[in-house]
Amino acid sequence: MSKIDDETIKKEHQKRQENFEEENVNDVLEDEEEIKSKFESKGKLQRYVDDAQLLFNLLRDYANGNYREVPFNVVAAIGGALLYVLSPIDLIPDFIPIVGYLDDAAVIAFCLNLIEKDLISYQVWKGDRA
């Protein structure tokens, strides 16, 4: 089992973010239900269900051209983190009971912390439109 610490999580997220391209946004949105099902049914990820929905909403608004007030590196951070959750190849394999989703939760938490200001701006924009 790989060592899970802040530096390892940061490196794993950066790798996914750097490999994320504009066309991958639609890939994430196509896998939305499968990714969200991991959040809804897996212990440590359940606390991020609302955050995951917010991330998907931002990606959808970005893809539709409705919200472009966010730099692409933020979109890549979101996409990379969400695809990490879906990936069967990660730091701790998901099939390992109890701890299998700890790395997924850590990557999502890292991403949320990294893009916090951009998420707040998006929420304000979204609220103004409602």
Side-chain angles (χ1 to χ4, degrees):
M1 183 180 324
S2 296
K3 181 181 175 189
I4 302 296
D5 59 22
D6 291 342
E7 191 59 31
T8 303
I9 293 299
K10 179 180 177 182
K11 285 180 182 176
E12 191 65 28
H13 182 263
Q14 281 180 325
K15 179 173 63 174
R16 306 281 174 141
Q17 181 180 358
E18 289 169 1
N19 292 328
F20 196 84
E21 306 278 333
E22 183 89 24
E23 57 269 10
N24 296 125
V25 172
N26 287 327
D27 296 338
V28 175
L29 292 173
E30 287 173 9
D31 291 332
E32 179 177 359
E33 292 307 315
E34 187 176 354
I35 295 169
K36 283 172 38 179
S37 72
K38 284 195 160 195
F39 281 90
E40 293 166 353
S41 64
K42 307 300 182 206
K44 294 285 184 187
L45 290 178
Q46 285 179 326
R47 72 187 329 185
Y48 298 110
V49 168
D50 293 337
D51 294 320
Q53 186 60 58
L54 178 64
L55 296 175
F56 278 110
N57 290 345
L58 191 155
L59 285 182
R60 193 173 300 101
D61 282 332
Y62 181 88
N64 293 337
N66 297 329
Y67 187 73
R68 292 293 179 131
E69 304 301 315
V70 62
F72 184 73
N73 68 321
V74 171
V75 172
I78 294 168
L82 291 172
L83 287 177
Y84 182 88
V85 169
L86 187 59
S87 175
I89 302 168
D90 52 20
L91 296 172
I92 303 174
D94 294 345
F95 64 82
I96 298 175
I98 301 172
V99 298
Y101 289 94
L102 289 177
D103 61 321
D104 296 347
V107 167
I108 292 298
F110 177 81
C111 177
L112 290 169
N113 189 47
L114 183 68
I115 64 168
E116 182 177 16
K117 290 178 184 169
D118 294 292
L119 276 180
I120 291 169
S121 296
Y122 173 71
Q123 287 176 303
V124 168
W125 175 82
K126 195 77 167 166
D128 288 348
R129 295 181 53 101

